[in-house]
Every structure is written in structure tokens, then in C-alpha cells.
Amino acid sequence: GFTITNGTGEYSVNYDLTVGGGRLVGRMSGQRNVSLINCYVHGNTAKRGGGLWISACNLFISGVTIKNNRASVGGGIMFPGVSGAQFNTTYDPVNRCSIYNNIGFFGSDMYYYLVNAVHVVVDTFTVANPWNFYACAIAGNPTIVNPYTFDILNTVHTEVNHDLYVAPWGDDNNSGVSPSEPMRTIYNAVYKIASDSSNPKTVYVANGTYSSSLNGQIFPIPLKSYMNLVGESQDGTILDAEYQDFIIYISAHSQSFNMSQLKLINGKAGVMTSKGIDYTVDKVTINSIVDIRLTMGFLGNKTQTARLSNLTVSNVSSPQNATGVRFLAFTNSIEMTNVEISDCRSYNWMPTLEASARGDSRFKMDGCRFYNNSNYSADVFNTIMQVSPDYDYGQRLRIEIKNSAFYNNYQVMSAQMANIRALNDTVFISNCTFADNSGGT
């Protein structure tokens, strides 16, 4: 029977973010049973779980409306489970809840983590088929891609089956379907656009600087599956997060998305993806990425096939952990062509490039340059790069590095500066230069 509004969550010093904008439930013991009944949760904000952040419990939710909340992860609800234990959410099928119009970038309305099955029964949801932009999940069982089933009576949002246009002088009340009538915010164009495998769509972004202070941009910016985010020019289309958030953050299990001709600056991270499938990044600049704990210019976590080309990553730094490009536990193939990583700095863990492979995979690099990257930790090595199999899950890894240069990199620790290991195949290195690297071996 409570209305919960204007909450800003609990701040975590260790992670430099807030959780549970409206309601925070965690650290429970015993039976861990929670009931939320006949509540109205709206207008709350946090970095994780804008409306509700409810962790590691059995939740019964009845007659609850969750709308117009905002978070980077789980705009309406974020439900983190626990590895090795399964907790359930029961949505009352009689006194139904409503969950809609929340703003989020990794699960707009909801995000469930380490939960293998979620049956969502609601009166109203944002759209009829929420996976995976509106309802995102990473199941505890890695073989489960989508743990959701839905029973939805009503919807409130109709996506537009058309390419859309955005300009700094635009208006979100415009249709956005032509360059002469553009929308203003990239987030709302992505939220509005409909895209599927048979009919991919593009959000075209005109030259100019897009930031919160200049024109009300909402960061991070998401992408949907089967859509393209295309700027007018690599140097002229500038997305400036003003060091407040990630710049681009893409929901787990998104596939066949592409971005090109963009300049991303002043973020806590550049581009973050998880379990992305078959995507392309081309003609993108990522510059001035800073965070106090862990930051990356580009992260592809558990990627299945990606192509990076004409990508420039520079000035990525953290007093703790930082890296330029990281592919963690990738499968199939990674291709990097004309990628430049420079001026990355860290006082802890930092390979300029890290790529670890699972299954039967290959890694190919052509025409790349890594230079002026520095690691000041006495305990960390592999500063130039680490490309290797994940031995718990790897079967085969082929590595090709050609026409590339690695120079003027520095690490404090006197240990190897590059670690490159194939598995049941071969490392091919041709026409490469390694010069003026110092501090390590």
C-alpha cells in the first residue's frame, strides 16, 4: 500500500554507483521470502535497479505498478540471483502488476541475473514481445539464452517500423522519419525504432555534439538487435557523456547490431556489450575514458563473432584497472583491422588488448597499432596484449597478427609485455614491428 517515488538509491563507494532507486532488498538470511503488494513505484533513479533492486530471495509481487523509473541496468527492476542457488519470482496472476515506460539501457524494464526461469504475468507491459531490449537476462545456466515467459494483457508502446533521424536541433515530438523532421535524443530514437532480422533499421545521427547539458541526451545509449547506429562523420558526430556514465551500453544477447562514424568521448566506459552475436564496429573513435575502479574503451564480454575496423581508442585511464579493448571468453572469431590503441594508463591490471577464447575460435589482427600505453603496477604484466585460450572451455585457437606495430609501451614490472598463445593450432606473426617498449621483457 505504499507509493515509492523520488528515490535515488544507496551509494556504493567501492563500485561508484547507486542501487535500488525506489526499494532495495538484499543481505537477507533465513527463508528469504519477500512480498510486495499494491505498491506504486515511479519516478525513481539509480545506476542499478531504478524502481526495485531485489537480490537473492523468493519474491511474491502483486498489484504493483512500476513505471517511469530510470537506471543504467534494470530501469524498472533488477533482480540479481546467486550462483549455485535458484530464487523465484511469483507474479500474482489475479491481482496483476503493471511494468512499463521505464528507462534503462541493459534491460529497460527489467533485468534478471543468474535466474533460470521467470514467468512474468502482468496487466500492462511496455511491448508485447519484450526480449531482450525491454526485458534482459543472463541466466545462471549458460545454456539458457532467454529465461522469460510472458503473459501480457495490455501494452503502451508502439515501435516505428522506419529508419529514424536525430539532430542536435531536433525535437523528440517530431516523427523522426526524415532528415527534415529529426528527433533530438539518440536514446529515444533507439527506444522508438522497430527492427528485426528480416527488416533491419538504422538511426542516422547528424553532425554535432550530443550531451546531457547541451541537448538533454540520455546516457548510456543502447542499441537494439538488427539495428545500425550511424553518424554523419567520424570526427563530427560527437557523443559526450561528460564523465557521468558509460557512453554506449548494449543489452545481453543482442545480435547483428552495427555502429559507425561516431566519436565517443568523456565516459566512464566507451562501448560495453555482453553475449553479443555477430556485430560490427567501424570508423569509431573512443577517447578520454576515465573511472575510479574498472574502465574499458571497448568491452565484448562472451562475444560470438565481431569485427572491429578503423577503430581508435585513446586516453583510457584508471587508478585501478583499465584496458583499451577487451574480449572476454569470446567464441567463433574476432577480427581487428586498422585498430589503434594509445595512451592507456593504469596502476593495476591492464593489458592494452585482452582476448580470451572458448570453443573452436580464431583471432585475427591486421594493420593495428598499439603505442604509448603505460602500466604502473609492480604486480601486473602483459601490458601490450594478452591473447590466449580459456583453458577450461577452449578447444582450438588460431592467431594471426600481421602488418601491425607495437611501440613505446611501458610497464613497471620486469616480466613479459605480451603473451600470445594458440591452442591446437598456430600463431602466425608477419610483417610486424615491436620497438622501444620498456620496463618489461
Side-chain angles (χ1 to χ4, degrees):
F2 282 89
T3 293
I4 303 169
T5 190
N6 295 325
T8 55
E10 178 184 43
Y11 179 73
S12 169
V13 175
N14 290 337
Y15 295 95
D16 188 31
L17 52 80
T18 53
V19 296
R23 178 98 176 162
L24 172 68
V25 179
R27 301 173 185 161
M28 298 181 68
S29 60
Q31 296 298 311
R32 299 189 181 190
N33 294 323
V34 174
S35 296
L36 296 179
I37 302 171
N38 297 332
C39 293
Y40 180 36
V41 182
H42 72 103
N44 303 285
T45 60
K47 294 298 184 184
R48 303 288 186 269
L52 304 174
W53 190 95
I54 300 179
S55 175
C57 66
N58 294 306
L59 172 65
F60 175 73
I61 183 167
S62 174
V64 176
T65 296
I66 303 167
K67 73 172 189 176
N68 297 335
N69 303 284
R70 175 177 170 178
S72 292
V73 179
I77 301 172
M78 180 173 176
F79 189 105
V82 175
S83 180
Q86 279 297 303
F87 295 97
N88 299 312
T89 301
T90 301
Y91 288 84
D92 191 339
V94 178
N95 185 25
R96 293 190 175 215
C97 299
S98 291
I99 304 168
Y100 59 94
N101 284 357
N102 298 286
I103 295 175
F105 315 91
F106 204 87
S108 181
D109 286 306
M110 60 175 55
Y111 172 58
Y112 275 76
Y113 180 63
L114 298 181
V115 177
N116 291 333
V118 188
H119 183 51
V120 181
V121 183
V122 290
D123 178 90
T124 304
F125 206 86
T126 303
V127 294
N129 298 300
W131 177 257
N132 64 328
F133 181 84
Y134 303 94
C136 180
I138 296 177
N141 183 340
T143 66
I144 297 174
V145 174
N146 181 2
Y148 291 112
T149 54
F150 289 94
D151 181 345
I152 300 169
L153 299 181
N154 302 288
T155 62
V156 297
H157 177 53
T158 301
E159 295 174 309
V160 176
N161 193 21
H162 201 285
D163 291 343
L164 295 177
Y165 295 82
V166 178
W169 49 268
D171 189 320
D172 284 344
N173 292 318
N174 290 342
S175 68
V177 299
S178 72
S180 63
E181 194 180 351
M183 300 177 68
R184 185 180 65 171
T185 60
I186 302 170
Y187 173 86
N188 281 315
V190 174
Y191 190 82
K192 184 177 181 179
I193 203 165
S195 199
D196 58 63
S197 59
S198 61
N199 197 4
K201 295 295 187 305
T202 300
V203 172
Y204 292 101
V205 185
N207 276 346
T209 298
Y210 297 80
S211 71
S212 176
S213 62
L214 284 177
N215 37 48
Q217 299 300 312
I218 301 172
F219 287 93
I221 291 166
L223 273 70
K224 290 176 177 175
S225 293
Y226 309 108
M227 71 155 286
N228 309 305
L229 182 66
V230 178
E232 184 176 345
S233 68
Q234 184 172 354
D235 292 328
T237 307
I238 302 169
L239 313 186
D240 184 353
E242 300 174 313
Y243 298 110
Q244 297 302 305
D245 217 317
F246 303 162
I247 302 176
I248 292 179
Y249 201 8
I250 301 166
S251 281
H253 302 289
S254 296
Q255 54 187 310
S256 300
F257 56 88
N258 306 292
M259 64 188 81
S260 63
Q261 299 190 157
L262 301 166
K263 186 173 184 178
L264 316 180
I265 64 171
N266 304 333
K268 291 189 173 184
V271 178
M272 307 285 279
T273 73
S274 182
K275 297 180 180 288
I277 302 171
D278 193 21
Y279 58 87
T280 300
V281 177
D282 180 48
K283 297 185 179 71
V284 172
T285 297
I286 301 172
N287 184 42
S288 295
I289 304 300
V290 180
D291 203 358
I292 65 171
R293 180 177 173 268
L294 170 65
T295 191
M296 282 158 278
F298 182 95
L299 170 66
N301 181 36
K302 298 183 179 179
T303 287
Q304 298 182 45
T305 306
R307 295 159 297 277
L308 307 185
S309 57
N310 305 303
L311 170 69
T312 299
V313 178
S314 59
N315 293 305
V316 179
S317 63
S318 171
Q320 295 190 45
N321 303 328
T323 193
V325 173
R326 187 182 192 195
F327 285 102
L328 178 63
F330 77 87
T331 56
N332 297 344
S333 71
I334 300 296
E335 296 186 12
M336 296 175 57
T337 307
N338 298 326
V339 172
E340 181 177 296
I341 307 176
S342 65
D343 298 298
C344 297
R345 299 171 301 280
S346 175
Y347 293 83
N348 202 335
W349 168 88
M350 192 202 85
T352 298
L353 164 72
E354 183 187 21
S356 62
R358 293 184 172 186
D360 187 341
S361 301
R362 69 184 184 93
F363 177 89
K364 184 177 181 180
M365 182 189 299
D366 189 356
C368 297
R369 296 197 304 157
F370 299 176
Y371 62 95
N372 296 346
N373 302 292
S374 303
N375 189 311
Y376 298 100
S377 170
D379 299 318
V380 180
F381 43 92
N382 298 341
T383 296
I384 294 176
M385 62 178 151
Q386 178 175 313
V387 181
S388 61
D390 183 331
Y391 281 113
D392 290 334
Y393 299 96
Q395 298 170 1
R396 174 178 172 268
L397 174 61
R398 177 188 181 95
I399 300 173
E400 299 177 53
I401 301 175
K402 60 183 181 179
N403 306 320
S404 297
F406 309 86
Y407 57 95
N408 290 340
N409 300 289
Y410 170 78
Q411 72 180 31
V412 170
M413 187 175 185
S414 182
Q416 71 264 21
M417 295 190 70
N419 190 343
I420 306 166
R421 294 176 288 165
L423 176 64
N424 297 324
D425 207 306
T426 310
V427 174
F428 296 92
I429 302 178
S430 62
N431 196 34
C432 290
T433 298
F434 297 81
D436 295 327
N437 302 293
S438 60
T441 54

